[in-house]
């Protein structure tokens, strides 16, 4: 039984957000249009909550982190413009994920701040969540951040936990794997240029289109280091949450208009 209202792989480049596009809205226009499509499909699925897997949230070395506070809020800036967002956390779903992961022996920590509950119980919301959520319905969220110190196979296992929690919940749950890809496409970018960027992103496009997401766990470590993607871990969690036989993929777009790759794909019941 397909457990999610809707699921997708999204990028999180700040200029995708229309309010942050500045004087060059054409630069990520293809991706922005695809994000509007994904957002419309998520809205049409009427989720009660959305799980966002982001590489840029609060990290715990050697553990998956799951927000269990009351709210998250944050902002992102591009082109001297600022976009702010606040969301409630679905603490029931977050708590179920943490408890289920601990039962299976996965390294996981539940995050809170200030007070156990109430208005002071709040954590920052990162751009890896803010950007895709800009296009999604304004429902409660759960923010999950993987750790690079955890083996890739455990990301698949955490995905299975998300699947179990979604199936056992009486809520309609959306799922977002927030992923930018290789960060070495442009010599003027902060990580410089490496030919591995094109190689890795072409492999990713092929695996997304062919629905073979699990094969990203076999990527060569040097290729990953040279290309510097930040999407493999989140994608493997999504792959664990939605098995191959249940994944119906709609590939929407890929582009690398600056120094990093942007990919949009949606998943619904086969």
């Amino acid at each position: 039984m397909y457990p999610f209202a809707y699921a997708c792989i999204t990028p999180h480049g700040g200029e995708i957000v229309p309010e942050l596009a500045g004087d060059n809205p054409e630069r990520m226009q293809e991706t922005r249009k695809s994000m509007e499509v994904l957002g419309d499909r998520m809205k049409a699925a009427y989720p009660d909550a959305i799980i966002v897997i982001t590489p840029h949230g609060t990290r715990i070395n050697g553990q998956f982190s799951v927000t269990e506070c009351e709210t998250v809020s944050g902002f992102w800036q591009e082109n001297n413009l600022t976009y702010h967002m606040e969301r409630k956390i679905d603490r029931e779903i977050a708590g179920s994920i943490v408890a289920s992961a601990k039962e299976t022996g996965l390294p996981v920590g539940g995050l809170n701040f200030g007070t156990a509950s109430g208005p002071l119980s709040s954590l920052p919301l990162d751009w890896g969540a803010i950007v895709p959520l800009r296009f999604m319905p304004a429902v409660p969220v759960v923010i999950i951040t993987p750790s690079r110190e955890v083996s890739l196979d455990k990301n698949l296992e955490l995905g299975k936990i998300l699947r179990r929690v979604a199936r056992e919940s009486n809520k309609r749950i959306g799922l977002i794997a927030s992923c930018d890809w290789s960060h070495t496409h442009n010599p003027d970018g902060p990580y410089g240029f490496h030919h591995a960027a094109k190689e890795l992103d072409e492999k990713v496009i092929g695996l997304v289109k062919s629905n073979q997401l699990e094969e990203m766990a076999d990527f060569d470590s040097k290729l990953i280091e040279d290309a510097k993607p930040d999407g493999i871990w989140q994608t493997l969690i999504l792959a664990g949450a939605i098995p191959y036989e249940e994944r119906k993929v709609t590939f929407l777009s890929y582009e690398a208009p600056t120094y990093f790759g942007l990919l949009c794909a949606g998943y619904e019941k086969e």
Side-chain angles (χ1 to χ4, degrees), residues 93 96-97 100 161-169 173:
I93 295 173
S96 295
I97 292 170
S100 296
I161 296 297
L162 302 189
R163 173 181 174 81
R164 183 192 311 164
V165 169
R167 290 182 66 177
E168 294 176 354
S169 174
I173 300 175

Side-chain angles (χ1 to χ4, degrees), residues 53-129:
I53 314 164
T54 167
H56 301 302
T58 304
R59 298 186 182 188
I60 306 175
N61 290 337
Q63 291 186 320
F64 299 102
S65 72
V66 182
T67 51
E68 289 194 279
C69 50
E70 289 277 0
T71 61
V72 284
S73 64
F75 65 91
W76 193 241
Q77 294 179 319
E78 296 274 357
N79 301 313
N80 296 314
L81 300 167
T82 302
Y83 183 77
H84 181 269
M85 177 178 288
E86 182 174 344
R87 290 287 185 272
K88 292 183 178 180
I89 292 294
D90 191 310
R91 303 186 80 182
E92 178 185 7
I93 295 173
S96 295
I97 292 170
V98 171
S100 296
K102 287 182 176 179
E103 286 175 6
T104 60
L106 284 176
V108 62
L111 298 176
N112 204 338
F113 177 80
T115 58
S117 60
L120 296 179
S121 171
S122 185
L123 280 165
L125 185 62
D126 69 284
W127 70 98

Side-chain angles (χ1 to χ4, degrees), residues 27-239:
R27 181 154 46 208
M28 295 185 181
Q29 181 65 13
E30 182 180 5
T31 297
R32 193 176 300 115
K33 289 179 179 178
S34 295
M35 288 298 296
E36 290 169 356
V37 171
L38 294 176
D40 287 344
R41 292 179 182 177
M42 184 71 81
K43 292 169 186 173
Y46 297 103
D48 299 304
I50 298 174
I51 297 171
V52 184
I53 314 164
T54 167
H56 301 302
T58 304
R59 298 186 182 188
I60 306 175
N61 290 337
Q63 291 186 320
F64 299 102
S65 72
V66 182
T67 51
E68 289 194 279
C69 50
E70 289 277 0
T71 61
V72 284
S73 64
F75 65 91
W76 193 241
Q77 294 179 319
E78 296 274 357
N79 301 313
N80 296 314
L81 300 167
T82 302
Y83 183 77
H84 181 269
M85 177 178 288
E86 182 174 344
R87 290 287 185 272
K88 292 183 178 180
I89 292 294
D90 191 310
R91 303 186 80 182
E92 178 185 7
I93 295 173
S96 295
I97 292 170
V98 171
S100 296
K102 287 182 176 179
E103 286 175 6
T104 60
L106 284 176
V108 62
L111 298 176
N112 204 338
F113 177 80
T115 58
S117 60
L120 296 179
S121 171
S122 185
L123 280 165
L125 185 62
D126 69 284
W127 70 98
I130 290 172
V131 173
L133 287 174
R134 158 60 180 79
F135 298 86
M136 303 295 161
V139 298
V141 299
V142 175
I143 308 297
I144 298 175
T145 301
S147 168
R148 302 281 174 100
E149 288 81 16
V150 175
S151 62
L152 292 176
D153 62 299
K154 285 185 168 58
N155 289 269
L156 289 164
E157 291 300 315
L158 181 65
K160 295 176 182 178
I161 296 297
L162 302 189
R163 173 181 174 81
R164 183 192 311 164
V165 169
R167 290 182 66 177
E168 294 176 354
S169 174
N170 60 358
K171 298 176 180 178
R172 294 177 59 80
I173 300 175
L175 179 63
I176 297 173
S178 179
C179 308
D180 286 341
W181 295 96
S182 296
H183 283 62
T184 55
H185 282 283
N186 191 318
D188 295 328
Y191 306 102
F193 172 81
H194 201 287
H195 61 82
K198 181 179 179 181
E199 179 184 353
L200 187 141
D201 281 11
E202 287 180 349
K203 288 178 181 289
V204 167
I205 292 167
L207 293 177
V208 171
K209 286 183 174 180
S210 63
N211 232 346
Q212 302 292 332
L213 303 180
E214 292 83 354
E215 293 190 17
M216 291 188 200
D218 299 325
F219 279 179
D220 180 75
S221 59
K222 188 176 187 308
L223 177 66
I224 295 173
E225 174 59 29
D226 291 339
K228 293 182 169 41
D230 72 11
I232 294 172
W233 300 263
Q234 301 86 262
T235 299
L236 288 174
I237 295 173
L238 183 145

